[in-house]
Amino acid sequence: EEGTLFTRAYCTSASCSPSRSVILTGLYSHANGQYGLRSDVHGHIYTLPNMLRDAAGYYSARIGKFHIGGKEAFDFDKVYKSSAVINRNAAVMADSVKELFYSKKDPFFLYFCTSDPHRGMGVVEDHPLEPDKFGNKPDGYDQITPVHFDEDDVIVPDYLPDNKAVRAELAQYYESVARMDQGFGKLFQYVKDAGIWDNTVIIYISDNGIAFPGAKTNTYEPALQLPCIVKPAKGMPAHSSDALISWVDITPTILDFAGVLDDVNNEIMNSWRINHDPYKSTNKGLQGKSFKDALYTERTSPDTVFASHSMHEETMYYPMRVIITEEYKLIWNLAHQIPYPHASDLWSSATWQWAINQEEYRGNPIKDYTDRPEFELYNLKQDPWERNNLAYLPGYEEMRKKLHLRIKEFQENTNDPWLVKWVHE
Protein backbone atom coordinates (compact mmCIF):
# COMPACT_ATOMS: atom_id res chain seq x y z
CA GLU A 1 0.00 0.00 0.00
CA GLU A 2 2.97 2.34 0.42
CA GLY A 3 5.57 0.82 -1.87
CA THR A 4 6.73 0.53 -5.43
CA LEU A 5 6.25 -2.83 -7.12
CA PHE A 6 9.02 -3.42 -9.66
CA THR A 7 7.63 -5.66 -12.39
CA ARG A 8 10.98 -6.25 -14.14
CA ALA A 9 13.35 -6.95 -11.27
CA TYR A 10 16.04 -9.59 -11.78
CA CYS A 11 18.48 -11.53 -9.66
CA THR A 12 21.82 -12.14 -11.32
CA SER A 13 22.05 -15.86 -10.51
CA ALA A 14 19.16 -18.16 -9.61
CA SER A 15 21.16 -19.94 -6.91
CA CYS A 16 20.93 -18.88 -3.28
CA SER A 17 24.56 -18.35 -2.24
CA PRO A 18 25.73 -16.53 -5.38
CA SER A 19 22.58 -14.41 -5.39
CA ARG A 20 22.92 -13.44 -1.73
CA SER A 21 26.56 -12.54 -2.22
CA VAL A 22 25.55 -10.13 -4.98
CA ILE A 23 22.85 -8.54 -2.81
CA LEU A 24 25.39 -7.80 -0.04
CA THR A 25 28.35 -6.67 -2.15
CA GLY A 26 27.10 -4.87 -5.24
CA LEU A 27 29.38 -7.17 -7.28
CA TYR A 28 28.47 -10.05 -9.58
CA SER A 29 29.19 -13.48 -8.13
CA HIS A 30 31.91 -14.14 -10.70
CA ALA A 31 33.65 -10.99 -9.40
CA ASN A 32 33.16 -11.48 -5.66
CA GLY A 33 34.20 -15.16 -5.70
CA GLN A 34 30.91 -16.82 -4.66
CA TYR A 35 30.76 -18.93 -7.82
CA GLY A 36 28.48 -21.54 -6.27
CA LEU A 37 27.16 -22.90 -2.99
CA ARG A 38 30.50 -24.06 -1.58
CA SER A 39 32.65 -21.17 -2.75
CA ASP A 40 33.83 -18.29 -0.55
CA VAL A 41 33.78 -14.61 -1.39
CA HIS A 42 37.27 -13.24 -1.91
CA GLY A 43 38.89 -12.13 1.33
CA HIS A 44 39.40 -8.59 0.10
CA ILE A 45 35.72 -7.97 -0.73
CA TYR A 46 34.12 -4.91 0.90
CA THR A 47 30.59 -5.79 1.99
CA LEU A 48 27.41 -3.85 2.68
CA PRO A 49 27.37 -3.97 6.51
CA ASN A 50 30.99 -2.77 6.56
CA MET A 51 30.25 -0.02 4.03
CA LEU A 52 27.27 1.26 6.01
CA ARG A 53 29.18 1.27 9.30
CA ASP A 54 32.32 2.90 7.91
CA ALA A 55 30.58 5.57 5.82
CA ALA A 56 27.44 6.34 7.80
CA GLY A 57 27.74 4.85 11.28
CA TYR A 58 25.08 2.19 10.78
CA TYR A 59 24.52 -0.62 13.25
CA SER A 60 23.92 -3.84 11.28
CA ALA A 61 22.19 -7.05 12.28
CA ARG A 62 21.02 -10.21 10.59
CA ILE A 63 18.80 -13.18 11.34
CA GLY A 64 17.89 -16.36 9.50
CA LYS A 65 19.42 -18.05 6.53
CA PHE A 66 22.80 -16.62 5.49
CA HIS A 67 24.45 -19.27 3.30
CA ILE A 68 27.35 -17.22 1.95
CA GLY A 69 30.91 -18.50 2.06
CA GLY A 70 33.54 -16.35 3.76
CA LYS A 71 31.28 -15.06 6.53
CA GLU A 72 34.13 -13.14 8.13
CA ALA A 73 33.91 -10.60 5.30
CA PHE A 74 30.35 -9.72 6.39
CA ASP A 75 30.98 -8.02 9.70
CA PHE A 76 27.48 -7.62 11.12
CA ASP A 77 27.39 -6.07 14.59
CA LYS A 78 24.72 -8.53 15.73
CA VAL A 79 23.79 -12.05 14.59
CA TYR A 80 20.52 -13.17 16.15
CA LYS A 81 20.33 -16.84 17.02
CA SER A 82 18.14 -19.00 14.83
CA SER A 83 17.86 -22.57 13.59
CA ALA A 84 16.59 -24.50 10.59
CA VAL A 85 13.12 -24.66 12.17
CA ILE A 86 13.08 -21.04 13.35
CA ASN A 87 14.12 -19.89 9.89
CA ARG A 88 10.84 -21.39 8.65
CA ASN A 89 8.86 -19.17 11.02
CA ALA A 90 9.15 -15.49 10.23
CA ALA A 91 6.81 -14.67 13.14
CA VAL A 92 9.27 -16.09 15.69
CA MET A 93 12.12 -14.40 13.85
CA ALA A 94 10.24 -11.12 14.16
CA ASP A 95 9.93 -11.69 17.92
CA SER A 96 13.70 -12.11 18.12
CA VAL A 97 14.59 -8.87 16.37
CA LYS A 98 11.90 -6.51 17.67
CA GLU A 99 14.21 -5.32 20.46
CA LEU A 100 16.35 -3.73 17.77
CA PHE A 101 13.50 -1.37 16.91
CA TYR A 102 13.45 -0.02 20.49
CA SER A 103 17.21 -0.10 21.08
CA LYS A 104 17.94 3.48 19.99
CA LYS A 105 20.56 2.08 17.60
CA ASP A 106 19.98 4.67 14.94
CA PRO A 107 20.54 4.25 12.07
CA PHE A 108 20.36 0.47 11.68
CA PHE A 109 20.37 -2.07 8.85
CA LEU A 110 18.56 -5.39 9.36
CA TYR A 111 19.07 -8.36 7.00
CA PHE A 112 16.03 -10.59 7.66
CA CYS A 113 16.01 -13.87 5.72
CA THR A 114 13.61 -16.78 6.08
CA SER A 115 14.23 -20.25 4.67
CA ASP A 116 10.73 -20.24 3.20
CA PRO A 117 9.70 -21.08 0.56
CA HIS A 118 12.76 -23.25 -0.09
CA ARG A 119 12.31 -26.99 -0.59
CA GLY A 120 13.10 -29.10 2.44
CA MET A 121 12.13 -31.09 5.54
CA GLY A 122 11.28 -34.22 3.61
CA VAL A 123 8.31 -35.30 1.55
CA VAL A 124 4.63 -35.85 2.26
CA GLU A 125 4.90 -39.59 2.84
CA ASP A 126 1.18 -40.35 2.91
CA HIS A 127 0.71 -38.77 -0.54
CA PRO A 128 1.01 -41.19 -3.48
CA LEU A 129 3.36 -38.82 -5.35
CA GLU A 130 5.38 -37.81 -2.25
CA PRO A 131 5.62 -34.08 -3.00
CA ASP A 132 8.22 -32.01 -1.19
CA LYS A 133 6.96 -30.51 2.10
CA PHE A 134 8.54 -27.09 1.52
CA GLY A 135 9.02 -26.90 5.28
CA ASN A 136 5.36 -27.55 6.14
CA LYS A 137 4.66 -29.56 9.30
CA PRO A 138 1.48 -31.48 10.24
CA ASP A 139 1.38 -29.77 13.64
CA GLY A 140 2.11 -26.34 12.17
CA TYR A 141 4.23 -23.53 13.60
CA ASP A 142 3.93 -21.33 16.65
CA GLN A 143 1.90 -18.14 16.00
CA ILE A 144 1.10 -19.22 12.44
CA THR A 145 -2.35 -20.16 11.18
CA PRO A 146 -1.78 -22.83 8.51
CA VAL A 147 -3.25 -22.01 5.11
CA HIS A 148 -3.81 -25.17 3.08
CA PHE A 149 -4.34 -25.25 -0.67
CA ASP A 150 -6.40 -27.73 -2.67
CA GLU A 151 -4.33 -29.34 -5.41
CA ASP A 152 -7.27 -29.14 -7.81
CA ASP A 153 -7.58 -25.38 -7.29
CA VAL A 154 -3.97 -24.15 -7.29
CA ILE A 155 -2.84 -21.81 -10.03
CA VAL A 156 -0.26 -23.49 -12.28
CA PRO A 157 2.02 -20.86 -13.87
CA ASP A 158 2.32 -21.01 -17.65
CA TYR A 159 5.96 -22.09 -17.48
CA LEU A 160 5.12 -25.32 -15.62
CA PRO A 161 3.29 -28.38 -16.98
CA ASP A 162 -0.17 -28.88 -15.54
CA ASN A 163 -0.14 -32.37 -14.02
CA LYS A 164 -0.82 -34.02 -10.68
CA ALA A 165 2.79 -33.91 -9.49
CA VAL A 166 3.19 -30.19 -10.18
CA ARG A 167 -0.13 -29.42 -8.51
CA ALA A 168 0.79 -31.48 -5.45
CA GLU A 169 4.07 -29.63 -5.02
CA LEU A 170 2.58 -26.20 -5.75
CA ALA A 171 0.02 -26.77 -2.99
CA GLN A 172 2.89 -27.30 -0.55
CA TYR A 173 4.85 -24.37 -1.98
CA TYR A 174 1.94 -21.95 -1.65
CA GLU A 175 1.39 -23.03 1.97
CA SER A 176 5.02 -22.18 2.69
CA VAL A 177 4.59 -18.76 1.08
CA ALA A 178 1.45 -18.11 3.13
CA ARG A 179 3.32 -18.93 6.35
CA MET A 180 6.11 -16.54 5.42
CA ASP A 181 3.57 -13.83 4.59
CA GLN A 182 2.08 -13.97 8.08
CA GLY A 183 5.50 -13.61 9.64
CA PHE A 184 6.35 -10.55 7.59
CA GLY A 185 3.06 -8.98 8.60
CA LYS A 186 4.11 -9.36 12.22
CA LEU A 187 7.57 -7.92 11.52
CA PHE A 188 6.06 -4.85 9.88
CA GLN A 189 3.66 -4.37 12.79
CA TYR A 190 6.59 -4.33 15.21
CA VAL A 191 8.26 -1.61 13.13
CA LYS A 192 5.05 0.40 13.26
CA ASP A 193 4.57 -0.15 17.00
CA ALA A 194 8.08 1.15 17.62
CA GLY A 195 7.17 4.39 15.86
CA ILE A 196 9.84 4.11 13.17
CA TRP A 197 7.75 2.97 10.18
CA ASP A 198 7.78 6.37 8.47
CA ASN A 199 11.57 6.65 8.43
CA THR A 200 12.34 2.99 7.66
CA VAL A 201 13.08 1.76 4.15
CA ILE A 202 11.94 -1.79 3.45
CA ILE A 203 13.15 -3.80 0.45
CA TYR A 204 11.27 -7.07 -0.04
CA ILE A 205 12.80 -9.56 -2.48
CA SER A 206 13.58 -13.23 -3.08
CA ASP A 207 17.07 -14.53 -3.78
CA ASN A 208 16.10 -16.78 -6.73
CA GLY A 209 13.14 -18.15 -8.61
CA ILE A 210 10.77 -20.90 -7.53
CA ALA A 211 12.43 -24.28 -6.92
CA PHE A 212 10.93 -26.04 -9.91
CA PRO A 213 12.49 -27.18 -13.20
CA GLY A 214 12.91 -24.29 -15.60
CA ALA A 215 13.29 -21.82 -12.74
CA LYS A 216 15.87 -22.20 -9.94
CA THR A 217 19.47 -22.59 -11.23
CA ASN A 218 18.37 -21.59 -14.73
CA THR A 219 18.48 -18.21 -16.44
CA TYR A 220 14.97 -18.27 -17.86
CA GLU A 221 12.45 -15.66 -16.72
CA PRO A 222 10.93 -17.76 -13.88
CA ALA A 223 14.46 -18.15 -12.52
CA LEU A 224 15.59 -14.54 -12.68
CA GLN A 225 12.56 -12.25 -12.69
CA LEU A 226 11.57 -11.96 -9.04
CA PRO A 227 9.35 -10.09 -6.61
CA CYS A 228 10.61 -6.69 -5.54
CA ILE A 229 8.63 -4.20 -3.45
CA VAL A 230 10.34 -1.14 -1.99
CA LYS A 231 8.74 1.04 0.68
CA PRO A 232 10.67 4.29 0.94
CA ALA A 233 11.16 6.08 4.23
CA LYS A 234 8.13 8.31 3.80
CA GLY A 235 4.83 6.84 2.69
CA MET A 236 3.73 7.33 -0.88
CA PRO A 237 0.82 6.03 -2.99
CA ALA A 238 1.27 2.45 -4.15
CA HIS A 239 2.36 2.16 -7.76
CA SER A 240 4.31 -0.11 -10.07
CA SER A 241 7.40 0.46 -12.19
CA ASP A 242 8.61 -1.42 -15.24
CA ALA A 243 12.15 -0.10 -14.83
CA LEU A 244 14.78 -2.80 -15.39
CA ILE A 245 16.64 -3.36 -12.12
CA SER A 246 18.97 -6.05 -10.83
CA TRP A 247 20.09 -7.45 -7.48
CA VAL A 248 23.57 -6.06 -8.14
CA ASP A 249 21.83 -2.70 -7.71
CA ILE A 250 20.64 -3.46 -4.16
CA THR A 251 23.81 -2.42 -2.34
CA PRO A 252 24.16 0.84 -4.32
CA THR A 253 20.49 1.63 -3.70
CA ILE A 254 20.78 1.10 0.06
CA LEU A 255 23.90 3.24 0.15
CA ASP A 256 22.02 5.88 -1.82
CA PHE A 257 19.19 5.86 0.74
CA ALA A 258 21.85 6.27 3.45
CA GLY A 259 23.32 9.22 1.57
CA VAL A 260 26.80 7.72 1.17
CA LEU A 261 26.81 6.08 -2.27
CA ASP A 262 29.32 8.48 -3.80
CA ASP A 263 31.53 8.38 -0.73
CA VAL A 264 31.69 4.57 -0.71
CA ASN A 265 32.19 4.28 -4.45
CA ASN A 266 35.01 6.80 -4.39
CA GLU A 267 36.66 5.04 -1.46
CA ILE A 268 36.53 1.72 -3.26
CA MET A 269 37.80 3.14 -6.53
CA ASN A 270 40.55 5.31 -5.13
CA SER A 271 42.15 3.15 -2.50
CA TRP A 272 40.70 -0.04 -1.13
CA ARG A 273 40.12 -2.09 -4.26
CA ILE A 274 43.15 -0.75 -6.13
CA ASN A 275 45.35 -2.17 -3.37
CA HIS A 276 43.55 -5.49 -2.97
CA ASP A 277 41.94 -6.47 -6.26
CA PRO A 278 43.96 -9.37 -7.74
CA TYR A 279 42.21 -9.05 -11.11
CA LYS A 280 43.11 -5.35 -11.53
CA SER A 281 39.71 -4.64 -13.04
CA THR A 282 39.14 -1.65 -15.27
CA ASN A 283 35.98 -1.06 -13.20
CA LYS A 284 36.99 -0.81 -9.56
CA GLY A 285 33.75 0.56 -8.14
CA LEU A 286 30.45 -1.09 -7.38
CA GLN A 287 29.12 -2.95 -10.38
CA GLY A 288 25.47 -2.00 -9.88
CA LYS A 289 23.62 1.31 -10.00
CA SER A 290 21.15 2.81 -7.54
CA PHE A 291 17.51 2.58 -8.57
CA LYS A 292 16.31 4.90 -5.79
CA ASP A 293 15.11 7.51 -8.27
CA ALA A 294 12.92 4.90 -9.99
CA LEU A 295 10.64 4.99 -6.95
CA TYR A 296 9.71 8.58 -7.72
CA THR A 297 9.94 8.91 -11.50
CA GLU A 298 8.67 6.99 -14.51
CA ARG A 299 11.96 5.58 -15.82
CA THR A 300 15.48 6.20 -14.57
CA SER A 301 17.15 2.82 -14.95
CA PRO A 302 19.31 1.48 -17.79
CA ASP A 303 17.59 -0.37 -20.62
CA THR A 304 19.70 -3.47 -19.98
CA VAL A 305 20.50 -5.87 -17.15
CA PHE A 306 22.88 -8.83 -17.05
CA ALA A 307 22.87 -12.21 -15.36
CA SER A 308 25.76 -14.48 -14.50
CA HIS A 309 25.40 -18.07 -13.32
CA SER A 310 28.45 -20.32 -12.98
CA MET A 311 27.32 -23.32 -10.95
CA HIS A 312 24.96 -24.36 -8.19
CA GLU A 313 27.27 -26.83 -6.48
CA GLU A 314 30.66 -27.87 -7.85
CA THR A 315 29.16 -30.95 -9.48
CA MET A 316 26.52 -28.79 -11.17
CA TYR A 317 28.88 -26.68 -13.29
CA TYR A 318 27.02 -24.94 -16.09
CA PRO A 319 28.14 -21.33 -16.66
CA MET A 320 25.67 -19.02 -18.39
CA ARG A 321 25.96 -15.33 -19.18
CA VAL A 322 22.85 -13.37 -20.07
CA ILE A 323 21.85 -9.98 -21.38
CA ILE A 324 18.26 -8.75 -21.01
CA THR A 325 17.03 -5.67 -22.86
CA GLU A 326 13.62 -4.07 -23.16
CA GLU A 327 12.69 -6.62 -25.82
CA TYR A 328 15.30 -9.37 -26.17
CA LYS A 329 17.19 -11.83 -24.02
CA LEU A 330 20.33 -13.68 -25.11
CA ILE A 331 21.53 -16.64 -23.04
CA TRP A 332 25.07 -17.82 -23.72
CA ASN A 333 25.51 -21.40 -22.49
CA LEU A 334 29.28 -21.51 -22.15
CA ALA A 335 29.37 -25.26 -21.43
CA HIS A 336 26.67 -26.26 -23.89
CA GLN A 337 28.66 -29.38 -24.79
CA ILE A 338 27.54 -31.04 -21.54
CA PRO A 339 24.00 -31.74 -20.31
CA TYR A 340 22.40 -29.15 -18.08
CA PRO A 341 22.78 -30.43 -14.46
CA HIS A 342 19.88 -30.38 -12.03
CA ALA A 343 20.21 -29.32 -8.42
CA SER A 344 19.74 -32.47 -6.36
CA ASP A 345 16.47 -31.38 -4.76
CA LEU A 346 15.02 -30.53 -8.16
CA TRP A 347 16.12 -33.82 -9.69
CA SER A 348 14.48 -35.84 -6.91
CA SER A 349 11.32 -33.74 -6.89
CA ALA A 350 7.95 -35.27 -7.66
CA THR A 351 7.69 -32.81 -10.55
CA TRP A 352 10.84 -34.03 -12.30
CA GLN A 353 10.30 -37.69 -11.50
CA TRP A 354 6.90 -37.40 -13.16
CA ALA A 355 8.63 -35.92 -16.21
CA ILE A 356 11.13 -38.79 -16.28
CA ASN A 357 8.32 -41.32 -16.15
CA GLN A 358 6.45 -39.53 -18.93
CA GLU A 359 9.72 -38.97 -20.88
CA GLU A 360 8.72 -35.39 -21.58
CA TYR A 361 8.64 -31.97 -19.96
CA ARG A 362 6.27 -29.20 -21.03
CA GLY A 363 5.24 -31.28 -24.04
CA ASN A 364 8.80 -31.76 -25.34
CA PRO A 365 11.32 -34.58 -24.96
CA ILE A 366 13.43 -34.25 -21.81
CA LYS A 367 16.50 -34.10 -24.04
CA ASP A 368 15.33 -30.69 -25.28
CA TYR A 369 15.56 -29.42 -21.70
CA THR A 370 18.90 -30.96 -20.74
CA ASP A 371 20.83 -30.65 -24.03
CA ARG A 372 20.93 -26.96 -24.82
CA PRO A 373 22.40 -25.00 -27.73
CA GLU A 374 25.21 -22.53 -27.24
CA PHE A 375 22.89 -19.57 -27.74
CA GLU A 376 19.27 -18.96 -26.85
CA LEU A 377 17.66 -15.76 -28.13
CA TYR A 378 14.13 -14.82 -27.13
CA ASN A 379 11.82 -11.93 -27.87
CA LEU A 380 10.37 -11.37 -24.40
CA LYS A 381 7.54 -9.15 -25.60
CA GLN A 382 6.24 -11.71 -28.08
CA ASP A 383 7.40 -14.85 -26.27
CA PRO A 384 7.49 -14.15 -22.50
CA TRP A 385 7.86 -17.85 -21.57
CA GLU A 386 10.82 -18.38 -23.95
CA ARG A 387 9.44 -21.20 -26.03
CA ASN A 388 10.81 -20.08 -29.40
CA ASN A 389 14.61 -19.85 -29.68
CA LEU A 390 15.42 -17.32 -32.40
CA ALA A 391 19.21 -17.61 -32.18
CA TYR A 392 19.65 -19.73 -35.29
CA LEU A 393 16.74 -18.50 -37.38
CA PRO A 394 17.28 -16.40 -40.54
CA GLY A 395 17.20 -12.71 -39.83
CA TYR A 396 18.39 -12.91 -36.23
CA GLU A 397 22.12 -13.51 -36.64
CA GLU A 398 22.96 -9.81 -36.43
CA MET A 399 20.96 -9.37 -33.22
CA ARG A 400 22.58 -12.44 -31.69
CA LYS A 401 26.10 -11.20 -32.49
CA LYS A 402 25.34 -7.69 -31.26
CA LEU A 403 24.09 -8.92 -27.90
CA HIS A 404 26.92 -11.44 -27.62
CA LEU A 405 29.47 -8.65 -27.98
CA ARG A 406 27.70 -6.70 -25.26
CA ILE A 407 28.09 -9.72 -22.99
CA LYS A 408 31.82 -9.64 -23.73
CA GLU A 409 31.97 -5.97 -22.74
CA PHE A 410 30.08 -6.81 -19.55
CA GLN A 411 32.56 -9.58 -18.75
CA GLU A 412 35.51 -7.27 -19.33
CA ASN A 413 34.05 -4.66 -16.99
CA THR A 414 33.22 -7.07 -14.16
CA ASN A 415 36.31 -9.23 -13.62
CA ASP A 416 34.73 -12.32 -15.18
CA PRO A 417 37.19 -15.27 -15.16
CA TRP A 418 35.08 -16.88 -17.90
CA LEU A 419 36.21 -14.14 -20.27
CA VAL A 420 38.80 -16.70 -21.44
CA LYS A 421 35.98 -18.37 -23.38
CA TRP A 422 36.52 -15.65 -25.97
CA VAL A 423 40.09 -16.75 -26.68
CA HIS A 424 39.18 -18.19 -30.09
CA GLU A 425 36.80 -15.41 -31.11
Side-chain angles (χ1 to χ4, degrees):
E1 295 177 353
E2 299 177 44
T4 298
L5 169 66
F6 286 92
T7 59
R8 297 200 70 189
Y10 289 85
C11 69
T12 64
S13 177
S15 176
C16 50
S17 297
S19 182
R20 289 161 184 263
S21 73
V22 174
I23 292 166
L24 289 177
T25 65
L27 304 174
Y28 289 91
S29 56
H30 63 245
N32 67 38
Q34 187 77 59
Y35 306 125
L37 264 59
R38 300 187 187 279
S39 306
D40 287 352
V41 295
H42 298 312
H44 63 274
I45 294 298
Y46 201 23
T47 66
L48 180 57
N50 303 57
M51 297 174 192
L52 286 170
R53 180 177 57 248
D54 295 348
Y58 270 70
Y59 180 88
S60 63
R62 67 173 175 88
I63 187 172
K65 183 178 178 182
F66 190 65
H67 209 191
I68 305 176
K71 289 183 180 181
E72 61 278 0
F74 302 86
D75 189 17
F76 286 86
D77 296 298
K78 173 77 172 182
V79 178
Y80 288 94
K81 292 182 179 180
S82 62
S83 66
V85 175
I86 290 176
N87 292 348
R88 293 281 188 180
N89 190 338
V92 171
M93 292 170 62
D95 289 342
S96 297
V97 302
K98 72 176 181 178
E99 60 86 21
L100 176 61
F101 308 147
Y102 295 91
S103 66
K104 307 302 181 183
K105 291 183 170 62
D106 184 17
F108 71 81
F109 166 61
L110 173 64
Y111 185 65
F112 186 99
C113 299
T114 75
S115 290
D116 290 325
H118 199 286
R119 287 179 177 269
M121 296 180 67
V123 300
V124 183
E125 295 179 354
D126 59 354
H127 192 291
L129 295 174
E130 296 188 338
D132 193 282
K133 289 182 178 179
F134 284 90
N136 301 318
K137 299 192 303 180
D139 55 346
Y141 287 82
D142 181 35
Q143 305 181 56
I144 298 294
T145 301
V147 181
H148 302 295
F149 294 83
D150 191 311
E151 296 173 17
D152 294 332
D153 296 333
V154 298
I155 296 173
V156 179
D158 289 344
Y159 55 84
L160 292 176
D162 191 346
N163 58 48
K164 292 181 179 180
V166 170
R167 285 181 169 274
E169 295 211 300
L170 281 176
Q172 297 294 320
Y173 172 81
Y174 290 146
E175 182 173 336
S176 180
V177 172
R179 176 173 63 252
M180 179 186 68
D181 186 57
Q182 291 182 49
F184 275 102
K186 188 172 187 181
L187 175 71
F188 297 160
Q189 190 59 52
Y190 282 148
V191 176
K192 293 175 181 179
D193 292 345
I196 59 173
W197 179 260
D198 288 340
N199 67 330
T200 298
V201 176
I202 297 175
I203 301 177
Y204 174 87
I205 59 174
S206 174
D207 58 352
N208 56 248
I210 185 173
F212 280 74
K216 181 181 176 181
T217 75
N218 281 273
T219 53
Y220 299 124
E221 291 294 282
L224 301 178
Q225 189 174 346
L226 302 182
C228 179
I229 303 173
V230 181
K231 184 200 81 68
K234 293 183 179 180
M236 61 186 299
H239 67 287
S240 63
S241 171
D242 62 353
L244 278 168
I245 65 171
S246 166
W247 281 192
V248 77
D249 303 326
I250 296 289
T251 280
T253 301
I254 291 174
L255 294 172
D256 198 3
F257 273 114
V260 294
L261 175 57
D262 290 341
D263 293 340
V264 171
N265 228 351
N266 289 336
E267 173 67 18
I268 293 173
M269 294 175 70
N270 293 336
S271 60
W272 192 87
R273 191 178 298 263
I274 291 175
N275 295 328
H276 296 82
D277 181 6
Y279 296 109
K280 299 300 179 186
S281 167
T282 57
N283 179 357
K284 295 184 174 66
L286 296 168
Q287 293 172 350
K289 304 292 183 182
S290 171
F291 57 81
K292 176 185 173 184
D293 288 347
L295 275 69
Y296 308 101
T297 59
E298 285 295 319
R299 296 298 296 268
T300 60
S301 71
D303 63 355
T304 304
V305 295
F306 294 90
S308 171
H309 179 86
S310 300
M311 65 191 74
H312 187 55
E313 296 199 40
E314 298 100 320
T315 56
M316 301 161 196
Y317 174 82
Y318 202 81
M320 297 173 274
R321 299 295 182 265
V322 182
I323 181 173
I324 302 167
T325 70
E326 292 286 344
E327 186 173 7
Y328 286 97
K329 173 195 277 187
L330 180 67
I331 301 173
W332 182 22
N333 297 311
L334 282 74
H336 61 96
Q337 300 92 338
I338 61 176
Y340 167 79
H342 274 290
S344 56
D345 58 344
L346 296 182
W347 186 91
S348 63
S349 69
T351 294
W352 190 246
Q353 291 303 307
W354 178 286
I356 290 175
N357 290 332
Q358 299 296 317
E359 298 183 348
E360 61 90 13
Y361 187 71
R362 284 202 336 182
N364 297 314
I366 286 181
K367 185 178 178 64
D368 290 354
Y369 180 80
T370 57
D371 295 358
R372 304 181 181 184
E374 182 175 8
F375 296 104
E376 298 177 64
L377 176 66
Y378 301 103
N379 185 316
L380 295 178
K381 289 187 175 181
Q382 299 176 6
D383 180 24
W385 300 121
E386 303 154 302
R387 297 179 185 272
N388 184 23
N389 182 11
L390 307 174
Y392 301 97
L393 296 183
Y396 289 95
E397 182 180 9
E398 183 177 346
M399 175 61 69
R400 187 191 76 203
K401 290 183 176 179
K402 174 184 175 182
L403 295 178
H404 192 205
L405 287 173
R406 290 191 66 185
I407 289 177
K408 181 179 183 180
E409 181 181 359
F410 157 72
Q411 291 182 281
E412 290 172 335
N413 290 335
T414 58
N415 299 338
D416 190 350
W418 279 262
L419 184 63
V420 298
K421 291 292 184 177
W422 286 88
V423 68
H424 298 303
E425 293 293 332

